Amino acid sequence: MDSFEITVQELENVVIFGVKGYFAQEAGDELRRRAEPILKAEKFNIIVDLSACSIISSPGVAQLMDLTFSILDDYKGKVVICGLDALKTKVLKLAGIIPVVETCENLEESKEFFK
């Protein structure tokens, strides 16, 4: 099992999910588990911070795609992904997540998107 950590931080009108380490199936499952009660509480402004994420596997991309499209389609929410390097950007573009979700260079820029 590869090491990962999912953090959740709520600031005013936005919820920030931080992904640290290897984003594979298990990390995606944990991200979904942590997101469900937040979405049920009708908090739909979401930032996914991948700056501390070392790599995203194919199952991790599928999990992220499922969650982001659910937030956008089912909840009519907004999603911003930040902390992308060239490889993560390429992978998320190939998966069709980008350009459907907004991307920002860093967390501070992402927070400005919701003001």
Side-chain angles (χ1 to χ4, degrees):
M1 180 162 119
D2 293 303
S3 177
F4 70 90
E5 180 182 350
I6 306 292
T7 60
V8 180
Q9 180 181 15
E10 293 188 45
L11 296 174
E12 298 172 21
N13 67 334
V14 66
V15 179
I16 303 163
F17 292 99
V19 179
K20 182 177 180 182
Y22 186 61
F23 193 150
Q25 179 73 40
E26 290 135 350
D29 289 340
E30 178 67 11
L31 180 62
R32 172 62 97 167
R33 187 186 70 71
R34 305 278 299 270
E36 285 176 0
I38 289 165
L39 295 170
K40 286 181 182 175
E42 299 185 359
K43 298 175 183 177
F44 306 131
N45 292 333
I46 307 295
I47 296 172
V48 179
D49 182 2
L50 298 177
S51 58
C53 174
S54 54
I55 194 163
I56 306 173
S57 71
S58 295
V61 170
Q63 291 282 55
L64 184 59
M65 184 171 25
D66 183 51
L67 178 61
T68 56
F69 290 154
S70 176
I71 293 166
L72 296 171
D73 295 337
D74 300 338
Y75 295 99
K76 306 303 181 215
K78 294 180 183 176
V79 179
V80 175
I81 298 177
C82 68
L84 298 174
D85 57 26
L87 179 59
K88 291 176 209 164
T89 300
K90 182 177 181 178
V91 167
L92 296 182
K93 281 182 179 178
L94 288 171
I97 297 172
I98 298 172
V100 176
V101 302
E102 297 289 330
T103 59
C104 293
E105 190 171 320
N106 56 50
L107 189 55
E108 290 306 312
E109 186 181 313
S110 299
K111 292 176 192 175
E112 292 296 316
F113 180 81
F114 294 102
K115 290 188 176 182

